[in-house]
Amino acid sequence: LRQAGILTERAETLSKAVDAAGSGRFSVVVTAPQTRDGSWKQLAAAARRCRSPFSIIVMARTFDLGDWAEAWNEGAFDVLDLVYELPRAVEFVRRALWTEYLNGSWPDLSIPDSRRAS
């Protein structure tokens, strides 16, 4: 994502990611379905509570159709197969950024280059 010119920030834990995502600084959050300290669903709950909502892209090594449907129902913007779709991840993030911009959910227009993903 950085090589594509998208500003990124990495969170060491899911709880730090939830705090950062809830700050309103981000338009898109990219995450694994499960981390050591929780599930991506905690990010989805944070997005619903936020004044400045954000899109979530879940990237998984193994994601069956049932998991994919559940992610969509929980509010994920998209679910990517890490093995096959990683080369297109930048395209998916840009699409999510554009969607957030069109929906008026852009986080902070005072930042000169505000294309941000976590």
Side-chain angles (χ1 to χ4, degrees):
L1 295 176
R2 286 185 182 137
Q3 289 176 343
I6 297 171
L7 297 177
T8 63
E9 182 177 316
R10 185 175 183 269
E12 296 296 323
T13 65
L14 186 64
S15 59
K16 288 181 182 178
V18 168
D19 289 343
S23 72
R25 295 190 318 258
F26 302 100
S27 293
V28 177
V29 174
V30 178
T31 185
Q34 189 68 37
T35 64
R36 287 176 294 172
D37 62 336
S39 163
W40 73 274
K41 292 176 187 178
Q42 292 169 269
L43 286 164
R48 288 189 291 271
R49 290 189 309 265
C50 261
R51 284 189 324 231
S52 178
F54 52 88
S55 291
I56 300 170
I57 296 177
V58 180
M59 296 188 78
R61 288 179 200 249
T62 57
F63 221 85
D64 67 23
L65 193 54
D67 292 332
W68 181 79
E70 180 185 8
W72 273 74
N73 288 334
E74 290 286 331
F77 178 81
D78 218 329
V79 179
L80 305 181
D81 182 318
L82 190 59
V83 175
Y84 299 105
E85 295 180 305
L86 184 59
R88 295 182 53 215
V90 170
E91 174 188 337
F92 284 93
V93 169
R94 284 190 175 139
R95 186 178 307 145
L97 286 168
W98 184 241
T99 300
E100 289 301 314
Y101 174 75
L102 291 175
N103 287 334
S105 298
W106 206 245
D108 186 351
L109 294 177
S110 66
I111 299 172
D113 186 4
S114 54
R115 296 172 291 167
R116 292 186 157 246
S118 168

